[in-house]
Structure formats: C-alpha cells, structure tokens
C-alpha cells in the first residue's frame, strides 16, 4: 500500500507540473499593426505599431506576427526570432535607409510572407548564421536581393531560401560567399546581373527554381573546393549563359 501511495503522489505531482511544462514550451507571440494607436503592448488586442518595437521586446523564442500594411523600417533580427506576415503581397517592409539592408539576419532566424524592398540589399545574412527565408518577395533593392556573408559549410549553418520571388534588384538575385545553401522552388527574374551567383568553397543544392530574364547568367557558380547540385531548374532567356561554371584549378564538382 505504501508503494501504491507513492505512485499516486508522484502522479499527482506530474499532473500539477504538466501544464507548466506545456506553457513554457510555447512561442512568445508578438503582434504588429501599422494602424495601431494608444497603449501598445504587443498583444493581439494592442499590437505594436512598428516591427522595431516588437524586435526590442523579442527573445530567441519569439514569433512576430505582422498585419497587412507598409512599414518603413530597417530590421535587425535577434537570434532565434521568427517573422510571419499576414500576406506576402500586402505586408511591405520598405527600407527607411537606402544604404542599409532591409533585414539583417543573425542565427536561427526565420522570415515568412513579407515583401522586402528599397534597401541596399533585401536580406543580408551574417556569417555562420543558419536562417530560413520562405515565401517572401524581395524586389527593387539597390544591389543584391539576398547576400550571404562567408560562413561555415556545415549543415548546422545552412541558408535555406525557398518558395520566394526575387526580382528587379540592382545586381544579383542571390549572391553568396562560401556557405552551405539550399535554394529551392524560387522564382528569380529580371535582376540586373546574375540570377544566382555562388562563390568558391560552397556546398549548395539548387532545385526547382525558375530563373529567367536576368541581365547576366541565370546561375553562376565557382566550384573550387566543394560541390554544387543543380537539378530540375527552368533556366531561360537570361542575357548570358544559362549555367556559368568557373574554377581556379582546385577540385570541385557541379
């Protein structure tokens, strides 16, 4: 009977503690609406007016949910923060400083369903950051749509770009220094230079993209040191090569 009593007591403790553990694992949701006014707490009922306010309150377990509207800001992501727009065509983040990136991503960040425009770059990814860029529109930036700084090629530091439209940027759609990359199911078109440009010593998987009407090559890769996989892409009507491969004599594979 004593053992049975101990089991019942432990079960009671577990039941009491379970809601706490369930609650502690939830993401901290912060809401933003450009039409907000009055007392702003970041709740769904009293959202912040700017993304910068939400980012200031965010931590690594935060999701920032953005209502439709135009936000004239430059955003520096905190590590581990996720951004979700209500509708990618109607959540527009327009750079307030044309000499800066619209969004700077650090590590374990995620952006979804927003339009990024009017900056030096649409997105700048810091070295060694693992980030996810999904279902966004990146257009009309002065230089590259996305630029990734040199970083580690381990899978734990991968830059993932998927289901996005990257267009009308002043230089390259996606430009990456040495990185591990996954570029899948994007529409990359009408950029002034190459659609995709990847520097040597990178490891990249490029699949299912529509790469067309860019001012130079559709895809340009330097294969020295690592391998580039290019599979099931639609590459057409670019002003130079469909796929341009360069190397300096070091072993590599495309």
């Amino acid at each position: 009977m004593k053992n049975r009593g101990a089991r019942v007591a432990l079960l009671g403790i577990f039941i009491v503690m379970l809601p706490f553990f369930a609650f502690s694992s939830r993401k901290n949701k912060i809401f933003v609406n450009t039409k907000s006014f009055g007392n702003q707490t970041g709740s769904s009922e009293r959202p912040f007016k700017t993304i910068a306010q939400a980012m200031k309150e965010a931590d690594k377990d935060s999701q920032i949910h953005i209502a439709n509207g135009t936000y004239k800001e430059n955003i520096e992501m905190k590590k581990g923060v996720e951004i979700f727009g209500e509708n990618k065509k109607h959540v527009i983040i327009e750079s307030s400083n044309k000499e800066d990136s619209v969004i700077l991503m650090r590590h374990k960040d995620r952006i979804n369903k927003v339009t990024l425009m009017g900056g030096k770059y649409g997105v700048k990814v810091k070295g060694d950051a693992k980030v996810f860029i999904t279902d966004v529109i990146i257009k009309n930036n002065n230089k590259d749509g996305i630029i990734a700084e040199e970083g580690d090629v381990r899978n734990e530091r991968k830059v993932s770009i998927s289901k996005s439209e990257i267009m009308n940027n002043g230089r390259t759609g996606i430009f990456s220094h040495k990185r591990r990359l996954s570029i899948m199911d994007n529409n990359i078109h009408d950029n002034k230079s190459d659609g995709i440009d990847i520097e040597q010593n990178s490891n990249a998987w490029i699949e299912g993209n529509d790469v067309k009407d860019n001012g130079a090559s559709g895809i340009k890769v330097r294969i020295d040191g690592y391998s580039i996989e290019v599979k099931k892409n639609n590459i057409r009507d670019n002003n130079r090569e469909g796929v341009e491969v360069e190397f300096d004599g070091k072993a590599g594979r495309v």
Side-chain angles (χ1 to χ4, degrees):
M1 292 297 292
K2 286 184 179 180
N3 289 340
R4 184 172 176 230
R7 285 197 298 271
V8 171
L10 287 171
L11 180 61
I13 292 169
F14 179 76
I15 291 170
V16 169
M17 293 180 68
L18 183 59
F20 170 78
F21 286 121
F23 177 80
S24 65
S25 66
R26 293 176 187 167
K27 290 283 186 179
N28 175 31
K29 293 185 179 181
I30 305 172
F31 295 87
V32 180
N33 191 326
T34 190
K35 297 177 182 178
S36 184
F37 61 93
N39 182 31
Q40 300 166 31
T41 63
S43 67
S44 56
E45 296 80 14
R46 296 183 179 277
F48 289 124
K49 189 177 181 67
T50 69
I51 303 166
Q53 287 174 282
M55 195 62 66
K56 184 177 180 181
E57 297 298 319
D59 58 30
K60 65 180 181 179
D61 294 317
S62 294
Q63 292 180 346
I64 298 175
H65 294 264
I66 308 173
N68 291 343
T70 298
Y71 301 82
K72 292 194 174 183
E73 307 183 50
N74 294 87
I75 309 302
E76 286 196 25
M77 300 282 285
K78 287 183 177 178
K79 290 182 179 181
V81 173
E82 301 177 350
I83 282 181
F84 294 90
E86 182 179 354
N87 183 302
K88 67 180 177 182
K89 292 183 178 179
H90 301 297
V91 176
I92 300 170
I93 306 176
E94 183 177 355
S95 180
S96 60
N97 179 0
K98 296 187 182 300
E99 296 303 313
D100 205 353
S101 309
V102 184
I103 286 186
L104 176 66
M105 302 186 76
R106 296 191 178 279
H107 185 50
K108 295 185 178 179
D109 304 334
R110 184 185 301 269
I111 56 173
N112 300 261
K113 295 186 177 180
V114 294
T115 291
L116 308 175
M117 59 183 291
K120 184 176 182 179
Y121 308 106
V123 178
K124 185 173 185 179
V125 181
K126 295 293 287 180
D128 286 349
K130 179 177 183 177
V131 302
F132 300 88
I133 301 167
T134 307
D135 200 18
V136 302
I137 298 172
I138 302 173
K139 65 179 183 178
N140 301 340
N141 295 285
N142 293 333
K143 291 191 175 181
D144 307 310
I146 298 172
I147 183 168
E149 293 182 346
E150 182 174 335
D152 204 311
V153 296
R154 290 178 299 167
N155 196 54
E156 293 81 3
R157 303 292 177 172
K158 181 166 63 179
V159 176
S160 297
I161 306 164
S162 63
K163 299 179 181 178
S164 296
E165 185 171 14
I166 304 166
M167 62 179 180
N168 295 322
N169 295 288
R171 198 160 62 184
T172 301
I174 299 171
F175 177 78
S176 178
H177 294 279
K178 172 189 170 184
R179 295 303 294 248
R180 177 178 286 269
L181 300 149
S182 172
I183 303 172
M184 297 184 64
D185 302 320
N186 301 285
N187 187 358
I188 304 168
H189 64 92
D190 293 293
N191 298 286
K192 294 296 190 292
S193 186
D194 305 297
I196 299 170
D197 185 354
I198 299 175
E199 287 287 306
Q200 65 185 11
N201 296 316
S202 294
N203 195 324
W205 183 269
I206 305 170
E207 180 178 359
N209 301 283
D210 193 11
V211 186
K212 64 182 181 181
D213 296 319
N214 294 287
S217 297
I219 299 174
K220 182 165 71 175
V221 295
R222 295 167 184 81
I223 62 172
D224 299 79
Y226 277 90
S227 66
I228 311 291
E229 300 283 347
V230 182
K231 182 178 180 182
K232 295 182 179 178
N233 298 279
N234 184 9
I235 306 169
R236 69 184 192 278
D237 298 327
N238 298 284
N239 281 349
R240 287 181 54 186
E241 291 77 18
V243 178
E244 178 182 348
V245 179
E246 297 180 357
F247 64 96
D248 294 326
K250 191 177 179 181
R253 181 172 68 92
V254 61

